Every structure is written in structure tokens, then in C-alpha cells.
Amino acid sequence: LIEGDELKGELGVAEGEGDLNTRLAQLVSKEPVMLFMKGAPGAERCGFSRTIVALLQDQGVKFGTFDILGDEEVRQGLKELSKWPTFPQLYAKGKLVGGLDVVKELIEGDELKGELGVAEGEGDLNTRLAQLVSKEPVM
């Protein structure tokens, strides 16, 4: 029977790395759409984070957030896990979508909600009402 640290050694996992990888996997899957950013919505601590929050909100995307400035281990771990060196990082269903530039490109191509797995009409009430009103001509 192989236990604990001995098992990590057998698997080639460095001390604490297994726990961090488990934690990262849980964090990126915490919500269907997760944004790892500097600060929090309404209290962003960098322009890129402020911009991506505004874009996601404008698109009616519901998303969870994590402030990477409050946890250096998660910040560095995500960079390694995702092979993406900068923040913000947007994840959908546990998989990296990309950063601000990727989100902008997806919006320009009208592909963001499809990429995130968010069906049309799942946005906020105003977005849904606007879609319904413009759907059929008024008599």
C-alpha cells in the first residue's frame, strides 16, 4: 500500500503540487464561466480586468470571479496550468477560453456565447426582452 507523500513521489508530483492542481481544477470549474482577474467586478485593479468584466456584462454572460492578487499560489499555478502568462483569464466549463484579446475577437465574430456554452436568451432580462422585441415585426 502506497500512501500520501510516497504516492506523490511515485507519481512524480512535487510536494504540495497535487493539492494545488486539485484546487486549480476545482476553481476553474466552480462556475460554468469563471474569470480569474485582478480585483473584483466593480473594484477591478487593472484596466484589462475592468474591460473584460464590462464586455462580459454587456454580453449578458453570467460568470464567477476569483481575485488572483489575493493568492499568489493560484496566480502562478494558473499560469503554468494554462500555459497563458497573463491575466485576466476566462474559463468555460473548466477549460481556458483566453484573455481579453480572445474575448474581444469572439465578440466581434459573434462567437462568444457559443464558445462559452451559453445559449442565447440566457442573459439578463433586458437582453432577453430586446431579443424578443426585435425578433418579430410589429403589426
Side-chain angles (χ1 to χ4, degrees):
L1 181 64
I2 300 174
E3 296 179 352
D5 292 336
E6 190 178 348
L7 176 61
K8 288 179 183 177
E10 290 291 322
L11 296 174
V13 176
E15 185 62 36
E17 189 176 302
D19 295 336
L20 177 59
N21 287 338
T22 300
R23 185 167 172 228
L24 293 174
Q26 291 170 340
L27 283 171
V28 298
S29 300
K30 185 176 178 184
E31 300 285 338
V33 178
M34 277 295 292
L35 178 62
F36 292 83
M37 60 182 285
K38 294 177 180 177
E44 298 87 354
R45 296 189 52 199
C46 87
F48 297 113
S49 291
R50 185 175 304 108
T51 301
I52 200 168
V53 165
L55 290 172
L56 292 171
Q57 289 173 340
D58 288 348
Q59 294 292 309
V61 174
K62 292 180 184 177
F63 59 97
T65 63
F66 185 90
D67 180 0
I68 52 101
L69 295 177
D71 193 323
E72 187 63 22
E73 186 177 50
V74 168
R75 182 179 182 178
Q76 294 305 322
L78 275 177
K79 286 180 181 183
E80 292 174 25
L81 175 73
S82 66
K83 308 283 190 264
W84 196 272
T86 60
F87 289 93
Q89 292 182 7
L90 186 66
Y91 287 77
K93 298 179 181 170
K95 295 187 176 161
L96 178 69
V97 173
L100 177 59
D101 289 343
V102 172
V103 169
K104 283 181 176 179
E105 288 176 18
L106 290 170
I107 290 170
E108 287 171 10
D110 201 25
E111 301 169 12
L112 180 67
K113 290 184 179 181
E115 184 71 27
L116 299 179
V118 178
E120 284 298 321
E122 283 188 17
D124 66 4
L125 180 58
N126 288 334
T127 302
R128 290 182 8 228
L129 287 172
Q131 290 169 345
L132 285 172
V133 169
S134 64
K135 192 174 189 177
E136 296 293 326
V138 179
M139 299 177 102

